[in-house]
Each structure stands twice: as structure tokens, then as C-alpha cells.
Amino acid sequence: MAGGITGAATLETYIERSSQSGELFERAKQALPGGNTRTTIYIEPYPPYIERGEGCRIHDADGVERLDFINNYTSLILGHCHPSVVEAVTRQAAQLMCVAAPSSLEIDLAEAIIERLPSVELVRFANSGTEGTMLALRAARAYTGREKLLKFEGGYHGTHDYAAVDVSAGGASGSGVQTGGAGLPKAVAEAVLSVPFNDPDALERVVGAQAAEIAAVIVEPVMGAAGIIEPSEEFLHFSRELTEQHGIVLIFDEVISFRIAYGGAQTHYGVTPDLTTLGKIIGGGLPVGAFGGKREIMAQFDPREAGHVGHGGTFNANPLTMAAGLATLQEMTPASYQHLNRLGGELKSKLLALFDELGLVAQVNQVGSLFNIHFVDRPVTDYNDVQAGNLGLLSELYVAALNHGVAFTGRGMGCLSTPMTDADIDTFVTAIRESLSDVGAV
């Protein structure tokens, strides 16, 4: 078992090597609640403060270099400071950074997205994946005249109120329970239904009972934050058929899964939703969100029409982000995806071989360039399986891996970037081996 004296030694090593980050955190506590402005990156006793990134490597305030398998939670598919992106942003910054007017760049990026995604006929830009899902849900409510939303347990769709409501793992009643933290209105929780992922029977049961009230079903085709959980062979197809049958808008949240294939998860699995939400890689490292889909649904936002849905935003489609996103998509050719997906398969194979050698019960979920380690004795197909694993060991492994020059998340998730090589995969696997020893897992 991990923990105890061994875990304490790992933490002590981290603190000894991160004194500058510690000092920065003390300053941060005086200006930010808990020294933090992004809950997802906080760790005890404090996170490493990063000063520089290049390719697949980052350097913290103490000068420690690490291989970055977080990539700003999957957004940096080209790694840090890719020359094409830096050049595009530098050129654009000298010309025009933001303005209360459209630019040709937003048309260019919109056309590039439409070309890749079969579900998208029209698209609008926002500033985060949270905004993208929030507005897609608003479009669905406006289009259907219904109010309820159905999502899947453990699915992450941002931080707006409707996205933050979930049910505890194991609940299949479909009733929303406020597990996203304090401050969520009761009325919002009552408008959110939730069922287990990969459970068509539960989905059919809840939809069948409340279809006339449900505006949208929103799903990550590959569940990201929940553990890189791939859909079963029939699940997405069944979801498509069921929503079509009941006139419900099917929304694919591809903020993360768009990185697994040239045309996203919807082309990978051969299922076309009504709306798609995007973020992360389409901004090239700058803040971005987007949502798009069928022309008749997106027409809700046409300002030329009476009763249209308003959608403002000072930085929507700002030229800097558009330039960075366009440069990124131009680099992401089919060959780039082939490279990443091959490395992803290699990583999974070598991790499984390591765990087998060490006699450690573990699963590795991997789809394309996304992966998640789970210390559990059964295949991980839904959020219940994730919660049954040794989550404490994952948290300790994260800190230990930082000590060995590798960064991936405290929930065991990681992703690859195009600058990575076979040697970088071997470095990661070696770091995991040494880290497991450090925390007393083997």
C-alpha cells in the first residue's frame, strides 16, 4: 500500500526541490483565495509554478525540467511554443489583437472546423469550453422549447451551473443532485438528469419517462475528466437513435475528444450529433470555446432574426486566438494524428507490461493520444469503475512522478503532444516505475 512514511518522504523531496514555488504560493495566498484561481491545478501543499515551456518540456520556478504529459489538460496538442503558433501569434499581435469588429481570421478558422466535423454546418466562437457547452444547451432549449438536460455520471462539461450538477456514482434514477459544490440553485438541479455512461437501458428508461421535457442529451464521446472512458460499440449509436426518436438535441462535447482524430470522435465512431462543442486545441494555447451544428439549430443566434438568442463576448473570436487556432489545425494533418495515436498505443502497451511485471493490478484506458491509469481490478467503462479504484495511490503517484521529471495529472490522466518521441514514452514509463517504488506501491 502507498502512504505512510514512504508517502511523507516523497512529499518532503518535492518540497525540498520546489522552494521558489513555495515562496510564490505564500505570496499568492495574500492575493487569491487559497492562493488559487484554478481549482483543477491545486495540489497539497502547493503546485509547481511554471516559468517556461518548449516542445514537450516545462521548466518551473526552481529550474526543474519535466516532460509535460498534461499539456494544459489536453489543449496543447503541438506542445509548448510551437514555432508555427508563435509566429502566427507574434505576427497578429503586431497587427491587431482585439477589436469591436469581425476579422477574416474567424471565417478561416470556422471554415477549417466545418471541413473537419460532419456535424457542423455553422459555428460560433466563445472563450472557453464552459461557454461553449452553456450556449449549446441554451440553443437546444430555444430550439425545442423544453428545459431539462440529460448528462452522464462523471461527465465534465465546464463550470456553469447546469454543467456542475451531477449525481453520485451509482445513481441511476435520473434525478439531479448538487455535487458540484455550494451555490447551485435548486431549480437548476431539478432541471438536470443524469445516468451512467455506457448504460443504454438506464438512458432509455429515463428518456422514455421524461422525453417531452428534455431539450438535450450532452455527452463526451470519450469521457475525459472522468477517466478517458471509451463508449461501448453500440452506445453512441443508440444515443443517436433514441434522441432522434424523441426530438431531443444530441450534443457531443468534443472539447477534449476532438484531439483523437482529424474529424474528432464523431468521425472516429461514425456518429453525427446535432451540435458539437469545442475548445482546447482549436485555440492553439489561447483561451477559446466554440459550438456549432445543424443550420436550423444554430439559426437561433442569427441577429437578423426576430427573437434570436443573444450571444456577446468582448473576446469572442479575437484575432490572436483565431490565428493561434488556425496555425494549430494546419499542423494537425492526418500524419500528425497517426504519429500521436501510435505513441499512445505504445504507451499503453509498455505501462501494462510494467504493471504485469510488478504484479500490480491496474488498467490503462487509452484512446488516441489520451490515456488514464486506473488502479482497479476491472475494466473501466463508467464512473463507478473509476471510483472503485485506488484514487489515493494516483494522487501520491502524481507527486512522486514530479520528483522524477514527469508531469501528469493527480487522477492518472495524461495526453501526448506532437513533439514527443518513443524515447519520451520510455522516460515516462521509467518514471512511473520509480515513482511506484517511492510511494511503496511495489
Side-chain angles (χ1 to χ4, degrees):
M1 288 293 293
I5 296 175
T6 306
T10 296
L11 190 59
E12 183 178 337
T13 299
Y14 173 74
I15 293 172
E16 288 176 352
R17 296 177 180 176
S18 61
S19 60
Q20 292 299 311
S21 287
E23 290 180 12
L24 288 168
F25 182 67
E26 290 302 312
R27 280 181 55 199
K29 288 190 296 183
Q30 307 308 309
L32 304 164
N36 178 264
T37 196
R38 185 178 175 186
T39 307
T40 49
I41 63 171
Y42 178 73
I43 64 166
E44 291 284 356
Y46 49 80
Y49 281 70
I50 306 303
E51 301 292 338
R52 182 167 60 89
E54 182 179 7
C56 55
R57 288 168 170 76
I58 50 177
H59 303 259
D60 69 15
D62 292 88
V64 177
E65 179 183 290
R66 296 183 178 95
L67 268 174
D68 185 10
F69 283 82
I70 303 177
N71 290 298
N72 196 24
Y73 284 83
T74 78
S75 62
L76 298 172
I77 197 166
L78 300 179
H80 296 269
C81 301
H82 188 281
S84 295
V85 177
V86 171
E87 193 277 331
V89 170
T90 302
R91 182 179 66 250
Q92 187 57 46
Q95 181 173 323
L96 179 69
M97 287 193 280
C98 59
V99 64
S103 75
S104 61
L105 285 169
E106 69 184 277
I107 305 172
D108 294 338
L109 186 55
E111 289 174 343
I113 290 169
I114 290 168
E115 185 271 325
R116 290 173 182 242
L117 290 172
S119 69
V120 177
E121 295 177 333
L122 297 173
V123 64
R124 287 181 75 91
F125 292 106
N127 297 289
S128 66
T130 287
E131 290 183 25
T133 62
M134 179 180 70
L135 290 158
L137 291 171
R138 187 175 301 171
R141 292 195 297 270
Y143 181 70
T144 63
R146 306 170 186 173
E147 292 194 357
K148 287 189 176 181
L149 151 73
L150 188 146
K151 56 184 293 195
F152 295 89
E153 290 180 11
Y156 179 75
H157 305 289
T159 57
H160 59 86
D161 287 354
Y162 286 92
V165 175
D166 203 354
V167 300
S168 302
S173 66
S175 58
V177 178
Q178 295 184 23
T179 60
L184 294 176
K186 181 180 179 181
V188 172
E190 292 173 346
V192 179
L193 310 170
S194 187
V195 300
F197 188 65
N198 273 331
D199 189 338
D201 292 337
L203 177 61
E204 185 172 28
R205 182 169 61 252
V206 173
V207 168
Q210 304 187 57
E213 302 175 76
I214 300 173
V217 169
I218 186 169
V219 60
E220 296 174 276
V222 175
M223 295 194 84
I228 311 301
I229 304 173
E230 193 166 11
S232 61
E233 184 174 348
E234 76 282 356
F235 183 69
L236 293 180
H237 291 277
F238 177 79
S239 300
R240 175 68 284 181
E241 293 169 3
L242 187 66
T243 51
E244 283 184 338
Q245 176 185 341
H246 292 285
I248 296 169
V249 176
L250 178 62
I251 303 172
F252 274 12
D253 180 346
E254 293 231 40
V255 171
I256 290 176
S257 64
F258 188 43
R259 71 154 34 231
I260 72 173
Y262 183 86
Q266 56 197 259
T267 58
H268 182 72
Y269 295 108
V271 180
T272 302
D274 299 305
L275 293 176
T276 298
T277 64
L278 299 167
K280 298 196 184 285
I281 72 167
I282 68 164
L286 297 183
V288 73
F291 62 104
K294 287 184 175 179
R295 187 174 299 273
E296 60 266 31
I297 300 177
M298 293 300 295
Q300 307 295 314
F301 294 90
D302 188 337
R304 302 169 299 178
E305 300 295 329
H308 66 271
V309 177
H311 169 216
T314 302
F315 297 103
N316 289 356
N318 72 84
L320 277 183
T321 294
M322 298 297 98
L326 191 61
T328 298
L329 291 190
Q330 288 170 344
E331 291 289 333
M332 290 310 300
T333 63
S336 296
Y337 285 100
Q338 184 178 15
H339 166 69
L340 286 173
N341 295 348
R342 181 188 66 79
L343 288 181
E346 180 182 331
L347 178 68
K348 176 179 181 177
S349 176
K350 290 184 175 180
L351 282 174
L352 288 175
L354 172 66
F355 297 144
D356 183 63
E357 175 194 338
L358 298 176
L360 193 62
V361 175
Q363 311 292 326
V364 179
N365 282 21
Q366 176 260 328
V367 185
S369 58
L370 299 163
F371 69 91
N372 208 117
I373 298 170
H374 298 280
F375 293 112
V376 66
D377 61 357
R378 62 188 191 231
V380 176
T381 62
D382 65 18
Y383 195 54
N384 285 316
D385 297 326
V386 174
Q387 295 301 301
N390 190 337
L391 304 181
L393 175 54
L394 284 172
S395 296
E396 290 193 17
L397 189 65
Y398 164 67
V399 178
L402 290 176
N403 293 340
H404 288 285
V406 162
F408 76 125
T409 73
R411 58 178 182 256
M413 188 198 80
C415 63
L416 310 181
S417 60
T418 56
M420 289 182 175
T421 65
D422 295 74
D424 296 321
I425 301 303
D426 290 339
T427 296
F428 180 82
V429 174
T430 298
I432 295 300
R433 176 193 291 273
E434 293 170 345
S435 298
L436 286 168
S437 177
D438 288 352
V439 301
V442 292

